[in-house]
Amino acid sequence: MTSASDDPDRPTGADHDPPAGIVHREIVALILLSAVAIAAFFTTRAIARTTHQMRLSDAAVWYSRGQQRARTGDAIQAAAAFRRASAIDRDNADYRLALAASLADAHDDEAATRVLMGLREITPEDAEVNLQLARLAARRGETSLAVRYYHSALYGFWGADAADAPRRVRIELIEYLLARGDRGRALSELLVLLPNLPDDAAAQLQAGQLLLDAGDGRLALEHFRRVLELDPRSPQGRLGAGLAAFELEDYASSQRYLRSAPRQSERGREVLAIVDAIAAGDPLLPRLRQSERRTRLAAALAHVATASDTCLQSSTAPPPAGNREQLAALRTEVQAFEERTTKGRIDEDALASGVNLTFRVEQALMARCGPGSTLDRALVRIARRHDLDRP
Amino acid sequence: MKRPVTSVAQRLRLRENQLFLALTIVVGIVAGLSAVLFSIAIEVTSRVLFGLDPSALRLFAVPGAVSLVTGVLLARVFPDVRGSGIPQTEAAFHLHRGVIPARVPFGKFLTGVLCIGSGHSMGREGPSVQIGAGIASVIGQWLRISPERTRDLVPVGAAAALAAAFNTPVAAVIFALEEIIGDMNAALLGSTVVASVASVVVERSILGNQPLFRVPTYHLEHPAELLAYAALGIVGGVLSLVFTKSLLALRRGFARLPARTKVFQPAIGGLIIGAVLIGVPQVMGVGYEFVDQALNGGLLLHTLVLLCLVKLAATVVSYTSGNAGGIFAPSLYIGAMAGGAVGTIVHRLAPFPTADPGAYALVGMGALFAGIVRAPMTSVFMIFEITQDYQILVPLMVANLLSFTISRRYQRAPIYHALLEQDDVHLPDASGMAIGSGWTAGEVMHDAAPLVAPDLTIRSVWERVATGPEQVYLIGDHERLKGLLPRARLEAALQEGKQDQPIGMLLGAGFVHAHPDHPSHVVLDRLAQSDGALPIVSREHAAAVLGIVTADDIVRYLAERVSLRE
């Protein structure tokens, strides 16, 4: 690096000046200049601080306006106000998060993602930023990315006042996975969640419902039973236990729980009807008289025969279309079975054959004419319960 | 007893080299403080004048009303602080031995704050440079250091102020060398670096170590993306030309208005800007807030295009109407918007992976700066300092090169030089500087004959010059040269019977000239293009004739040199 001060050929006027007193004029001038510079520095710093405060105050006003507009549902205006706030006070992550949320509310996902990515570059471990990114990715249907952001949020930094937040985020992730039909990954997340659950009825109930949706009836039933221990009169606990028992094919327990539930959902009523139909129509239940078994089987065969006739007669079968010939053959088989078993004693093999036949007809009906009635579903479950659901 | 006292006194004396080094640091600090204060003052003024959320009436009224005040200040009190300040600083360095009157930094601060704070679409960097350079010059004059050192302080102060204004110390040093001094190998490199560092340290200790823009890390996503950046360079070059040419043309138009309107010209600009702000308030003032949004991909395509075009027009109006403010920031703003728009289109349509539009906005900034200011090295270093990312440099250089080349191809002089030329100030350029041995125009020229007024008739002029030896006559009035008239053209006009017509009608559109410091090769080249005589004009006032060079003068001068040697 060369500098003018290194150049020996440059004129050096001060060297030729006569000495002026003990201390040279330039030194006095420099000291004076330095004193002025120091004073100017502190003055400027004080002014800068005042201006900074003014700026922060302006940003807070814009943020407050944005919140007001967000509350009235005007996401676009809210985003504009939050944008002003975050432009003035660029260090405030809350403003930028609010901006991203408003942009997302205004369905400007691309802009919201950019704001969040900007924040994530600064604080990659910020849980709230990752959570919002996860929600945006989820909304776009990018499951892998969403799960990655959800996990970043779960293992990110949450403030001391948000101890419950990771559990809520994991539940949100599980619900998202269940909505996407990914029950396996949802169950894995549930297994991580369960040890950290508080032992209160609400948390146990939520876990039970999620387990039920994820297809783990046994664990779900355990949690619903815990709910009923903590709150024996919980209608949701009874409903959940009834549904879980139903999934486990414990129809007696299911019936007991569901009948004791005072307020029932549509699903609860539907399941109770199936359970009732199973209890009333299963010919293979123990401790039934022979005549009762015959009557139940005959009723089941009569139902599938009628249903087959109706299905075969419908000119436009709804999708999925099944094999008409197969259903017709089964209908003939039902008729032959009825004729064969009308007279005389029915042994256990004949009962099993009859139950299996109803199952096969139900399968064919399902394939050709779609889901059937409560009784149809009960007949399928009866066959399955006795391991007679072979084709 | 006396000896020890003298010895202490001698030791306390500073050699000028040491003094200059100490001054460099002090100038760096003071210029940095001035840039910080200038920036704060603009912000506070804008906040006071417009409030937090201005009404349409306020947006319209403020620029015009404030410009009425600044119009008086700029026309009557501080006539040398109009516009950017960078051309004036260059003129001070090259032509006035670095002498800048004390009223200039003060006036620039005051009028710059009022003009930019009242919403004019102008930048703060140019004024900061003039203020910094002015303070440095005033300090140098006050300390009575040698004229050469006073001159050297000008780019030092300019670099320090720019470093603080833009928070890019390296780019500020390069800018001082590339633009102010015009020589990348200048011996002042060390001094400008010291001052820039001192300035940035001061600026960061007051405002914090915050970059001017927060830019995500961008990468070249695919080699084919370079084509997209090349397209951006072409767009940047075209926009640079549109900006430069429209600015120069409109400024020329304002300059042709009667002198008495000069007071009101800024207010005319203010009224136009007020009307623009009602519809597009985003172009108000410096506008870095929106540049930041473009760099982070936060603006939609139609917004980017709109802001690019409106900012361009608004800056041209604000600048040419005579307000005080720079074009440094507007060129970055326009570039960011243009780049963002190109990037958005490329991002949507390109069949290969591309970076976010923000990356293009960043490169666009550099491309427009390179095209308008024509300081390509500054542009590259500035963007590098903003991003701290090497990855963007290759696309940036591609776009810069194209923009710079297109701009240079269709606009001869860089904008700051062209602005000075409009004011009849001609700066020396690298190719025209006197170098080594040989002679200069000033050495060979002879005194010029008095100017012939252009409204005299051809007959009356002929009667005066017919018997003289001159083969070329200088036409002009009020000490302003209008053109050259060869004797042969005068005789031809007489033969065609145009005796009673004014002689001014015989003048062509322009004339070749040289300056006293031009070396022999430039003089010979221009003499060959002339009508036998080359007027030598002042760099400070290009219409003021200092002398004439003819082939005879050169022969006579060389003969004298030969005889002297013998």
Side-chain angles (χ1 to χ4, degrees), chain A residues 1-8 10-30 32-34 36-38 40-45 47-49 51 54-55 57-59 61-62 65 69 83-84 87-88 90-91 96 108 110-111 114-115 118 121-122, chain B residues 5 8-10 12-17 19-23 26 29-30 33 36-37 40 43-44 47 52-53 139 142-146 148-149 152 185-191 193-194 202 205-207 210-217 289-290 292-293 296-300 347 356-357:
Chain A
M1 194 166 68
T2 58
S3 119
S5 57
D6 305 327
D7 186 351
R10 303 298 292 259
T12 53
D15 293 341
H16 303 295
D17 287 342
I22 291 176
V23 181
H24 195 270
R25 179 181 171 277
E26 279 83 13
I27 292 181
V28 177
L30 265 180
L32 202 66
L33 265 178
S34 303
V36 170
I38 290 167
F41 173 80
F42 285 108
T43 309
T44 308
R45 200 168 68 167
I47 293 169
R49 281 183 182 164
T51 315
M54 179 192 83
R55 208 179 294 137
S57 151
D58 285 355
V61 171
W62 280 113
R65 285 186 190 180
R69 288 165 186 175
R83 201 187 286 281
R84 293 293 299 267
I88 298 169
R90 297 188 302 174
D91 291 330
R96 293 170 80 183
D108 191 352
E110 205 179 327
R114 274 198 291 264
V115 172
E121 274 203 9
I122 303 163
Chain B
V5 175
V8 168
Q10 280 175 345
L12 283 171
R13 286 193 66 199
L14 291 172
R15 290 176 62 81
E16 195 173 62
N17 288 341
L19 176 67
F20 189 77
L21 179 65
L23 262 183
V26 174
I29 292 169
V30 177
L33 286 171
V36 171
L37 263 180
I40 291 172
E43 187 182 344
V44 172
R47 177 71 175 77
L52 190 62
D53 193 7
I139 289 174
W142 180 61
L143 281 173
R144 281 184 269 161
I145 58 174
S146 65
E148 289 79 7
R149 292 300 199 197
D152 288 349
N185 298 311
L188 283 169
L189 175 63
S191 310
V193 167
V194 169
V202 164
S205 62
I206 293 173
L207 299 180
Q210 302 285 341
L212 193 57
F213 305 113
R214 297 247 168 103
V215 188
T217 308
E289 175 189 335
F290 299 98
D292 200 67
Q293 287 181 25
N296 287 279
L299 297 175
L300 300 172
H347 201 59
D356 281 344

Side-chain angles (χ1 to χ4, degrees), chain A residues 209-285:
Chain A
Q209 282 163 343
L210 291 171
L211 283 162
L212 192 59
D213 291 344
D216 193 330
R218 186 184 58 77
L219 270 176
L221 187 56
E222 277 179 26
H223 281 271
F224 286 124
R225 280 182 178 149
R226 181 65 190 144
V227 171
L228 293 174
E229 282 170 20
L230 294 165
D231 179 10
R233 287 189 296 180
S234 165
Q236 295 297 320
R238 290 178 189 188
L239 173 65
L243 295 175
F246 178 74
E247 291 301 319
L248 292 171
E249 297 178 0
D250 180 358
Y251 299 118
S253 299
S254 175
Q255 194 176 39
R256 194 173 68 248
Y257 284 124
L258 290 173
R259 281 191 174 161
S260 65
R263 288 194 309 274
Q264 286 204 355
S265 63
E266 193 181 336
R267 172 74 180 146
R269 282 194 296 275
E270 190 184 332
V271 169
L272 181 57
I274 295 170
V275 171
D276 284 345
I278 290 169
D282 187 351
L284 294 172
L285 280 178

Side-chain angles (χ1 to χ4, degrees), chain A residues 144-167:
Chain A
S144 307
L145 193 62
V147 171
R148 209 168 71 216
Y149 284 133
Y150 270 121
H151 281 159
S152 298
L154 281 167
Y155 302 113
F157 173 75
W158 293 95
D161 55 341
D164 192 36
R167 188 166 62 84

